[in-house]
Amino acid sequence: MIERWNRDQVLALAPDASSQKAAQGVSSPGKWSGIGSAADSVWGECKGSGSKPYRACVDLSELAYRCSCPSRKFPCKHALGLLLLWSADGVPAAGAPADWVAEWLDQRRERAAKATGLAAEAAEATRAGGAGAGPADTRRAEQREQRVAAGLSDLERWLADQIRQGIAGSRRHDYWDDLAKRLVDAQAPAVAGTLSRLSSVLNGEDWPARLLSEYALLHLLCVAHRRLPAAVAASGSAVVDPGTPAGADGTGLVRRVRERVGFPVTKEEVLAGETVRDLWDVLGRRDEEQDRLIARRVWLRGRRTGRAALVLSFAMTGQALDASLVTGTTLDADLAFYPGSAPLRALVAVHHGAVSTGFPTASTVEQALDEVAAALAGDPWLDSWPVVLGPVTPAGRGPWHLAGSSGGIPLHPSTGTPWRLIAVSGGRPLTVAAEWTPRGLRPLITWDEEGQVIVL
């Protein structure tokens, strides 16, 4: 049986603020008929503007929605309203789903089984190696390596020029556009993306220090890529094996550098590697928009292993993002990690179901900082990491921070005054899940005295 979510967790699923408001407007029992809930699903019919009510249902085991309304938002207000009613214990239990719900659930299970089989076949093909690559493939790969090397060499010289000339002239938001386009042509898309986002550092008063810090990391990446041949030779392998464990033979760092440059790692490669089964706490999520593309970052942490994980999904503006991982829940799953010196990004390989196991294990401030330092040692370009702190209290009047017995960590400037966190705390210590960034913590969730999840 899926543990019932609270109102905060349901509203966190909404694609925007207007959907949250609309969902609350259709969450009253009088709007619904034929409602019911089973072990892994909830359904009902909501009265709308037409003659026929809208049929809405939700698969709770691997969060998916279906509604007969014409809305292009996902989830729509009816699915959210139904979940709000369910969270308030307003949906009666039923022995089995309605026929139209059971049919949809069966179709989902069949598609999932087929997809799992195809993924297993693709992973087996990846394990078999790339022996089928022909001369044309090899030639294209060599040409890309040459373009990337030339593009990063130009970037390294450009950075040296910036330091010699000074950065006073870089206050224009389009200052890096031409350089980013050249790196796209050089087939180094990740570096180009980093350059295109540099304009955001100009918004703060400390922009010179932040810009120099970004330049330093770009220079470090250029130098690391230039020295890759020596690193590969030292590892004793001419090829970077995607299945090599993090840090083994030094190839983990090689893969990390190539990933930061923009050499992709396919899902098949990731799924072909080892998986880690654990009870994974979903600590929170954050959406970021860049050039009409929205990236969703969902943070997880393993109960038994203590491992941090980041599940990424992408969608064009206006399209639905993956909402299968619900903030504040715990799932029993196998995760497959992308290779690297500090493995963090992961895919959910097998979802065994949701569980209810209480609070995640918290770290002291000192322990959390030690963990972040170790992660940065493996990946100097790391810009975020999930932490669970406790017991801590929000403190400060100017720069706010989370204070514990072994010190404190400042909050990110964009957090402002953390009123919601202060209200939950009431001066008492809390357990807080947060996203560490170089500029401070972004609080994700906390728990009140009754153990209810509070989304921050």
Side-chain angles (χ1 to χ4, degrees):
M1 183 72 178
I2 305 296
E3 182 183 15
R4 185 175 284 108
W5 310 327
N6 63 33
R7 182 175 177 275
D8 272 3
Q9 290 172 285
V10 172
L11 292 178
L13 299 172
D16 51 41
S18 62
S19 295
Q20 291 182 340
K21 183 177 181 180
Q24 294 174 77
V26 296
S27 63
S28 60
K31 293 278 187 179
W32 294 87
S33 61
I35 56 176
S37 65
D40 58 358
S41 57
V42 59
W43 62 90
E45 298 182 358
C46 183
K47 183 179 180 181
S49 56
S51 57
K52 292 184 177 181
Y54 296 125
R55 284 182 165 181
C57 54
V58 181
D59 182 349
L60 300 172
S61 62
E62 295 185 16
L63 197 57
Y65 317 91
R66 183 184 183 185
C67 185
S68 59
C69 76
S71 173
R72 294 184 178 181
K73 293 186 177 182
F74 189 83
C76 69
K77 67 179 183 180
H78 305 104
L80 288 169
L82 177 62
L83 286 173
L84 284 172
L85 188 59
W86 172 70
S87 72
D89 201 15
V91 178
D99 291 343
W100 59 276
V101 179
E103 181 181 0
W104 175 66
L105 292 173
D106 289 341
Q107 291 173 350
R108 280 185 47 76
R109 305 296 183 259
E110 290 174 6
R111 286 195 299 269
K114 184 177 180 180
T116 300
L118 292 173
E121 292 176 6
E124 185 60 33
T126 301
R127 289 190 187 95
D137 296 323
T138 302
R139 190 161 51 251
R140 281 194 293 270
E142 291 175 348
Q143 289 173 347
R144 180 178 183 183
E145 296 283 357
Q146 293 169 0
R147 290 193 187 101
V148 170
L152 293 183
S153 178
D154 290 343
L155 175 59
E156 193 173 348
R157 287 192 294 270
W158 183 88
L159 290 168
D161 290 341
Q162 297 304 299
I163 300 304
R164 279 196 299 269
Q165 298 169 6
I167 61 173
S170 55
R171 289 304 305 271
R172 301 194 325 270
H173 282 72
D174 61 350
Y175 185 74
W176 302 272
D177 288 358
D178 290 340
L179 182 59
K181 291 175 183 176
R182 293 204 300 270
L183 282 161
V184 169
D185 294 338
Q187 295 183 278
V191 182
T194 300
L195 286 167
S196 66
R197 292 189 292 271
L198 286 180
S199 59
S200 63
V201 308
L202 302 179
N203 300 328
E205 295 182 359
D206 60 343
W207 72 267
R210 292 180 59 195
L211 184 59
L212 287 172
S213 177
E214 295 292 340
Y215 280 175
L217 290 172
L218 282 168
H219 181 264
L220 180 64
L221 184 60
C222 292
V223 173
H225 184 269
R226 175 158 48 84
R227 296 178 179 175
L228 279 185
V232 172
S235 72
S237 173
V239 178
V240 179
D241 180 6
T244 302
D249 301 329
T251 54
L253 184 57
V254 171
R255 290 306 297 258
R256 180 63 68 201
V257 171
R258 290 176 64 82
E259 179 188 347
R260 294 293 181 181
V261 168
F263 287 93
V265 180
T266 65
K267 293 177 67 174
E268 290 75 20
E269 285 182 276
V270 177
L271 294 173
E274 294 183 0
T275 58
V276 179
R277 182 170 182 176
D278 203 343
L279 300 179
W280 299 95
D281 291 304
V282 184
L283 302 181
R285 76 184 192 195
R286 183 160 61 88
D287 294 347
E288 291 182 333
E289 184 174 355
Q290 178 71 28
D291 296 331
R292 298 178 61 192
L293 182 70
I294 300 177
R296 170 162 292 173
R297 307 159 71 92
V298 182
W299 294 108
L300 300 92
R301 181 172 281 277
R303 285 285 178 92
R304 293 188 287 262
T305 62
R307 290 190 65 165
L310 169 64
V311 177
L312 283 175
S313 59
F314 302 91
M316 297 300 294
T317 302
Q319 295 183 349
L321 279 157
D322 177 27
S324 60
L325 300 176
V326 180
T327 298
T329 61
T330 305
L331 64 146
D332 181 1
D334 297 342
L335 296 193
F337 284 82
Y338 281 71
S341 51
L344 178 64
R345 187 182 174 190
L347 298 173
V348 179
V350 181
H351 192 309
H352 299 288
V355 296
S356 174
T357 54
F359 283 51
T361 302
S363 302
T364 65
V365 168
E366 185 177 9
Q367 289 170 337
L369 290 176
D370 286 344
E371 181 184 344
V372 171
L376 284 170
D379 181 3
W381 304 278
L382 190 72
D383 60 0
S384 52
W385 189 268
V387 295
V388 181
L389 300 169
V392 291
T393 53
R397 294 183 177 179
W400 283 85
H401 60 280
L402 293 181
S405 59
S406 58
I409 306 179
L411 299 183
H412 193 280
S414 65
T415 304
T417 302
W419 292 115
R420 193 171 176 83
L421 186 59
I422 294 169
V424 177
S425 169
R428 295 182 298 272
L430 297 170
T431 297
V432 179
E435 176 188 5
W436 172 90
T437 75
R439 301 192 68 202
L441 296 175
R442 297 179 186 267
L444 298 171
I445 57 174
T446 188
W447 293 262
D448 64 15
E449 292 179 321
E450 299 176 355
Q452 290 288 311
V453 174
I454 307 296
V455 180
L456 300 172

